[in-house]
Amino acid sequence: MRPNDPVEHLIALLAKLPGLGRRSARRAALRMLMEPESRMLPLAEAMRVAAAAVKPCSNCGNLDASNPCHICSDNQRDQGLICVVEGVAELWALERAQAHHGAYHVLGGTLSALGGVGPDDLAIPQLLARALGAREIILALPATVEGASTAHYLADRLESTKVPVTRLAQGVPMGGALDVLDDGTLAAAFKARR
């Protein structure tokens, strides 16, 4: 590798993207470099525009070019139904699935004693303020130790608001065989049976 090589620099930057290893980054760079006018320059311009325009929504934390974001501004959505998610990726996943037609609240992570993430590091005060006008808070947090401890902490903090707090169902996935599931998943599925 030559020092200050623009091709190697491009490959190294692409390889840092989620889902792209060094080989995939090399293939993407080659494809863009072979057709820079139709592939690379439009991508560079779109990235420049997005970097300048996209910011976190001051209400929910979603990333959007408008503030409040298009979800918070949509009067067809049920703003009294707030779905709490760990990050924007989870919000976008729920939107892709068209699973939720209310509002969102992005925490910005989950509580983690080992990771040094405490309540002050998350958007919890903003959630507590928004909860006062809500009919229901849905905790859509990951099925991890950190997600469970965050959900428990939030449920305790939200108890004084008298707003119902619910969690997403967890357990056996569609098509899942019981003999390959871990004990925690089986126990959660059994406890949440209906």
Side-chain angles (χ1 to χ4, degrees):
M1 183 170 111
R2 298 177 316 222
N4 301 322
D5 182 355
V7 174
E8 286 300 321
H9 183 64
L10 174 62
I11 292 168
L13 289 174
L14 288 172
K16 291 180 181 179
L17 295 173
L20 286 184
R22 185 113 178 120
R23 288 179 66 184
S24 297
R26 187 176 305 283
R27 283 195 301 273
L30 178 61
R31 192 67 178 265
M32 288 189 290
L33 289 166
M34 290 175 66
E35 301 175 40
E37 295 295 324
S38 64
R39 295 186 186 268
M40 184 176 268
L41 296 178
L43 177 61
E45 177 61 14
M47 289 171 39
R48 186 194 65 73
V49 169
V54 175
K55 305 284 185 242
C57 175
S58 60
N59 190 42
C60 73
N62 185 23
L63 294 175
D64 204 329
S66 60
N67 189 16
C69 72
H70 71 283
I71 295 173
C72 290
S73 300
D74 185 350
N75 57 13
Q76 299 296 311
R77 296 185 82 101
D78 184 349
Q79 298 296 326
L81 191 61
I82 300 174
C83 182
V84 179
V85 293
E86 178 180 8
V88 175
E90 291 78 14
L91 185 157
W92 288 1
L94 289 168
E95 282 298 289
R96 270 194 321 272
Q98 298 180 354
H100 177 63
H101 302 290
Y104 290 95
H105 187 83
V106 177
L107 282 178
T110 54
L111 297 173
S112 172
L114 293 175
V117 180
D120 295 338
D121 300 313
L122 305 177
I124 294 173
Q126 297 90 327
L127 174 62
L128 296 174
R130 291 182 72 196
L132 298 175
R135 283 189 345 280
E136 180 183 353
I137 304 289
I138 304 165
L139 302 178
L141 298 171
T144 61
V145 171
E146 292 84 4
S149 64
T150 304
H152 182 72
Y153 178 83
L154 291 176
D156 283 350
R157 293 292 311 270
L158 290 163
E159 191 173 354
S160 65
T161 66
K162 305 295 186 214
V163 175
V165 177
T166 59
R167 288 200 66 184
L168 294 185
Q170 298 172 352
V172 180
M174 291 297 287
L178 295 182
D179 62 337
V180 298
L181 296 175
D182 64 276
D183 296 344
T185 301
L186 280 173
F190 197 77
K191 186 176 179 184
R193 69 189 184 279
R194 56 184 170 105

